[in-house]
Amino acid sequence: MGKELSSTMIRSGVLPLWKNMGNSPIWGLFKSPRGIFKKDELGLEIGQIALPAALALTADPIASLVDTAFIGHIGPVELAAVGVAIAIINQASKVAIFPLVSVTTSFVAEEDAKGSSRAEYRETEMAEKQSASDNEKEQLMPKMEMTGGMATKRHISSASSALIIGGALGLIQAVILICTAKPLLSYMGVKSDSPMLKPAVRYLTVRSLGAPAVLLSLAMQGVFRGFKDTKTPLYATMVGDVANIILDPIFIFLFGLGVSGAAIAHVLSQYLISLILMWRLMEQVNLLPPTIEDLQLSRFLRNGLLLLFRVIAATFCVTLAASLAAKLGSTSMAAFQICLQVWLATSLLADGLAVAGQAILANAFARNDYEKVMATASRVLQLSLALGLILCIVVAIILQFSSRLFTDDINVLRLLQLGIPFVAVTQPINSLAFVFDGLNYGASDFTYSAYSMVLIAVFTIICLFLLYSSNAFVGIWLALSIFMSLRAVAGFLRIGTRTGPWSFLRG
């Protein structure tokens, strides 16, 4: 069944490409660009997953941008302090978040696809059997009612595993960040005599209290993504972030709590998101697995460990860049923080396509539907390139005319003019890099993702130190541009060499 082609997909002219790619599978992926925005079966499926996912992913960075805007009007020192603290929080969170969410999405999608296949087989078998009497059918109805609707719930052991691991990691992260706040800030270049130290410690300590909610909610987002449901996480995230935006000025200015107020508002919003997602998930999934073995904790941990190394390598590069910016002073750090938040917020739009690609590919690989694998890969890559080009223009225009929304400091504004070209020009590269990550995760190609990122990180770290010493602020952004370019190249190479899960292209 998995290898049957829908008539819609055949007419699109995309699916047969992988059999006729010759020696250039990458070229095949970008063929027939005229159908890139076509509203066929595949296009609608990608859109229904990608758009809500992109909005949900960008909601939190946008909320951080609002935090940045509010704090920027307190003063450049506070803005720089919060920038350093957020860099540490992002590093700590991504170390746990991305392995957890990515593994959860793939495993839940695979488990759900296999469960659906078994259910379809049973339905077909029952339809062919005419021996069942009306009496037996009537006897089944009370049993369904006695379960209190439990029969309609999914039994996905990966969901239970994700919640257990996410909750535990959140508690561990909170304890570590609170206990090591000053040493971490010192490592980031904020020394004991720096005016940034006190506001940075306050913000970092309070924000750390929200770590359990953040990791638990993101684990649940991974479950919903595996079900190809990105609307529920979007609604929950929007409610939480609107609450954050409303509470920010209240805690920061009305209560006079400054940077601590911004952190409190953020923490409260994260717990609200977590509660909404838990309520919705309990309606759809039976979170109590039959046995401990069904949790598949060892499989989670094994693949999660691979992605852990990958994420540490990737986020270390960004964290090192923030550390180098902090060493240049509060002015450079403030400008870097604004550029970085815009860079991440816009680039994560492409991550919505990555989520769609991962969820659809994981489901297709579980069904051995290689035609849909290549159709999906081709479409999301083409869409990511188009999105990147659009973002390049939009970011350049918006940042050029809205810089004063973040700060009134003349020196910070001057450095912003140097960072804007890098933020804008790298958008197409970032989009491709994020989508290739999603394709690798959908193919459960966690080993390649981990090893390739470690090699890229080593080269990027060397570039950071060399370019920082010679070009200061501009050198940091040049090194980050090289970093994202190498990530995109690594994705091209995996499919282009027809290795790993893409070995079916040789046939």
Side-chain angles (χ1 to χ4, degrees), residues 331-367:
T331 299
S332 294
M333 185 60 214
F336 179 83
Q337 167 65 6
I338 294 171
C339 287
L340 184 65
Q341 289 300 319
V342 174
W343 196 57
L344 293 176
T346 54
S347 297
L348 283 175
L349 284 168
D351 224 9
L353 287 172
V355 170
Q358 179 184 0
I360 297 172
L361 255 67
N363 189 288
F365 269 111
R367 297 172 181 266

Side-chain angles (χ1 to χ4, degrees), residues 390-432:
I390 294 171
L391 286 174
C392 177
I393 299 171
V394 171
V395 168
I397 295 173
I398 290 178
L399 266 182
Q400 192 69 34
F401 296 102
S402 63
S403 298
R404 289 188 177 274
L405 290 175
F406 300 103
T407 182
D408 295 323
D409 188 279
I410 296 175
N411 293 322
V412 175
L413 289 171
R414 181 180 59 80
L415 281 177
L416 275 178
Q417 296 305 310
L418 298 177
I420 289 173
F422 291 99
V423 176
V425 172
T426 54
Q427 292 303 315
I429 299 170
N430 295 354
S431 296
L432 286 171

Side-chain angles (χ1 to χ4, degrees), residues 46 51 56-57 133 203-204 387-388 423 446:
I46 292 173
L51 184 58
L57 286 164
S133 66
Y203 189 86
L204 179 57
L387 175 63
V423 176
F446 300 121

Side-chain angles (χ1 to χ4, degrees), residues 50-67 218 221 225 230-245 248 266 269-270 273 341 344-349 351-352:
L51 184 58
L55 293 174
L57 286 164
T58 54
D60 191 60
I62 288 173
S64 292
L65 276 174
V66 174
D67 283 351
L218 284 162
Q221 286 190 40
R225 289 179 188 178
T230 52
K231 291 181 180 178
T232 299
L234 170 62
Y235 298 148
T237 303
M238 287 180 65
V239 171
D241 286 343
V242 168
N244 182 28
I245 293 170
D248 257 342
H266 198 94
S269 71
Q270 291 302 321
I273 293 170
Q341 289 300 319
L344 293 176
T346 54
S347 297
L348 283 175
L349 284 168
D351 224 9

Side-chain angles (χ1 to χ4, degrees), residues 303-320:
N303 289 282
L305 188 62
L306 285 170
L307 284 189
L308 176 63
F309 288 117
R310 181 189 185 283
V311 171
I312 289 174
T315 55
F316 181 80
C317 292
V318 178
T319 305
L320 177 61

Side-chain angles (χ1 to χ4, degrees), residues 210-281:
V214 172
L215 271 81
L216 197 58
S217 66
L218 284 162
M220 288 185 281
Q221 286 190 40
V223 175
F224 282 111
R225 289 179 188 178
F227 294 151
K228 300 181 183 180
D229 175 12
T230 52
K231 291 181 180 178
T232 299
L234 170 62
Y235 298 148
T237 303
M238 287 180 65
V239 171
D241 286 343
V242 168
N244 182 28
I245 293 170
I246 294 172
L247 292 174
D248 257 342
I250 295 174
F251 283 108
I252 294 173
F253 303 113
L254 187 62
F255 293 165
L257 296 176
V259 295
S260 297
I264 292 171
H266 198 94
V267 169
L268 291 176
S269 71
Q270 291 302 321
Y271 277 98
L272 178 59
I273 293 170
S274 184
L275 287 173
I276 294 172
L277 288 174
M278 180 64 76
W279 168 58
R280 292 294 296 159
L281 187 61

